[in-house]
Amino acid sequence: MNDDSENIRVGDSERSRALDELSTHFANGLIDINEFEERTGKAAIAKTRGDIRKLFLDLPRLDGTDPVAGEPHPNAPAPIRAETRAQEELDEVLTRGKKVQRFDGLIFAVAMILFFLGLFVFDWDYFWIVFPLAGVAAWGVRSVANFSDEDEEIFDELNESEEKERAERLRRAAERRRELGK
């Protein structure tokens, strides 16, 4: 970027877009409440493009084009590396759990469709068999994904915790937007 573009003045629409993006970063847990309040305050009074760009220098782009390394520095203290490994394991359980959850939704949606088709359209005598087959398919997905009962319990706890935290961050972001009048 050339220095001239940094000095171009911004209006309410640019400030509002910056506030929206900061709200998204906050809701996704990339910045804490103190950083969010500080940055939104600066965004609300930004005068130039440079003022707004400074708020996002250390944040990834929302479109995913700015990769963020998920590994700790090799010279980091051992507790930090261990904590990072533990977090990576939890993230991996969360990822596998979301995939299993999507497959479950698909399996049981197909089962319901087949159930009603068998019952009302094709007049099958054994239309009920789709439910045990759906259960076997769901078990198969868990076996292929190596998703144990313990993993499922951890996933449920993580997912519930993540949803509560996100809801709280969204609530705080909305309050902050109202405070700033944007």
Side-chain angles (χ1 to χ4, degrees), residues 22-180:
L22 286 168
S23 295
T24 302
H25 284 303
F26 176 64
N28 290 337
L30 294 170
I31 56 178
D32 64 24
I33 185 68
N34 295 327
E35 285 181 287
F36 177 70
E37 289 180 3
E38 178 185 337
R39 291 181 193 217
T40 53
K42 289 179 180 178
I45 61 170
K47 293 186 182 351
T48 66
R49 287 182 180 174
D51 293 340
I52 290 179
R53 280 199 185 99
K54 288 176 192 172
L55 301 173
F56 296 97
L57 290 176
D58 62 336
L59 295 172
R61 294 184 51 158
L62 291 177
D63 61 8
T65 58
D66 191 13
V68 178
E71 301 173 6
H73 190 275
N75 296 332
I80 292 174
R81 289 194 305 266
E83 183 178 315
T84 302
R85 279 194 300 277
Q87 185 61 43
E88 287 171 353
E89 288 177 28
L90 290 175
D91 290 343
E92 196 268 328
V93 167
L94 196 58
T95 301
R96 279 189 295 137
K98 287 182 180 181
K99 287 180 185 176
V100 167
Q101 200 174 42
R102 280 188 227 114
F103 275 109
D104 280 351
L106 178 65
I107 288 167
F108 286 101
V110 169
M112 289 303 294
I113 290 168
L114 289 175
F115 173 78
F116 286 109
L117 284 175
L119 181 63
F120 297 115
V121 177
F122 299 116
D123 199 30
W124 292 338
D125 290 333
Y126 298 103
F127 58 87
W128 53 268
I129 197 77
V130 297
F131 292 114
L133 291 175
V136 169
W139 172 80
V141 167
R142 282 164 175 71
S143 295
V144 169
N146 196 23
F147 197 66
S148 67
D149 290 341
E150 183 179 301
D151 289 341
E152 192 148 7
E153 288 176 19
I154 293 169
F155 168 74
D156 289 340
E157 289 175 22
L158 288 172
N159 203 28
E160 183 179 330
S161 171
E162 190 177 81
E163 287 174 5
K164 284 181 182 176
E165 288 173 5
R166 182 169 172 78
E168 178 61 20
R169 289 192 303 264
L170 287 171
R171 185 189 64 73
R172 285 186 174 182
E175 284 177 7
R176 181 66 175 164
R177 292 292 303 271
R178 281 192 295 273
E179 286 174 12
L180 296 171

